[in-house]
Amino acid sequence: MYALLQLRGLKLFSINKTTQFKMKTKLLLSLIILGTSSLLAQAPRNQKEKAQDKKQIAEGQKNIIRDRAEVRAFKAQLDDYKKAIEEKSPNKIKNFHRSLVFAMQDEIEQTQQKLNQAKNEVVQSKKEVRSETKEIQKDKKDIVTSKGDKKDDRRDIAKDRADRKDDRKDAVDDVNDAKYLSSRLAKQKAFLKKFQADKNAVKAADNFYLTMLADSKQNQKELKEDRKELREDRRETKDDRKERREKK
């Protein structure tokens, strides 16, 4: 009887030991899968951000070319309008005034479209910041739960913090761009209202022209920012690819 109990005890001990080994193995596999899943999720996110940056760059380049042509055309009409006023030609004043009103309305519509796009970019930028914050939180958990290289986990946190810092700066730039466009849209509408009320409101037309020049400069600034963001996203993709290789 005593021998039988000993045998059962050995079997239970063996079963418990086997069970513990399986549980530890499952836990280790779960940690590996979670880490790999996070890295795999980061890859398409980076690709999406790169695609968004490339789209913004392409649109920025088209805007610069279009705006330069529109600024030149508006300036030519404005000069003709001023000349008509000097010549005191009612018909010419009326015709050039109407042309300038149409040009201003078109410009205001474009500014509204740019503002809508800028607001979308603000939403996207803030989403990228939240994404990096989640990565940092995950990396902190990895340090506690992982039995791997703690030094490597700390490097991951440092990298993600640097990425988040860049994304926060980009988000601030996007918010400022949206505020600038909103302010310029309000000014353009005010200048158009004055110009529509008075066919001789040269000052209002001049001020509207200045907003178009400012818009052209702003587009060049935004294009530089988009190219910078693309370089940052390429670096992040490269870092994540390297991290995935290290995890294998």
Side-chain angles (χ1 to χ4, degrees), residues 14-31:
S14 178
I15 290 169
N16 288 337
K17 201 170 183 181
T18 304
T19 304
Q20 288 176 1
F21 176 75
K22 287 181 178 179
M23 288 176 67
K24 287 180 179 179
T25 303
K26 285 181 179 179
L27 179 61
L28 182 60
L29 287 172
S30 297
L31 290 172

Side-chain angles (χ1 to χ4, degrees), residues 113-137:
Q113 290 173 356
K114 290 174 183 177
L115 177 57
N116 294 340
Q117 182 182 339
K119 288 179 178 179
N120 290 335
E121 289 176 12
V122 169
V123 173
Q124 180 64 28
S125 295
K126 290 183 177 180
K127 188 186 293 184
E128 290 173 12
V129 172
R130 289 195 299 271
S131 174
E132 290 298 344
T133 299
K134 287 180 181 178
E135 281 298 309
I136 292 169
Q137 292 171 347

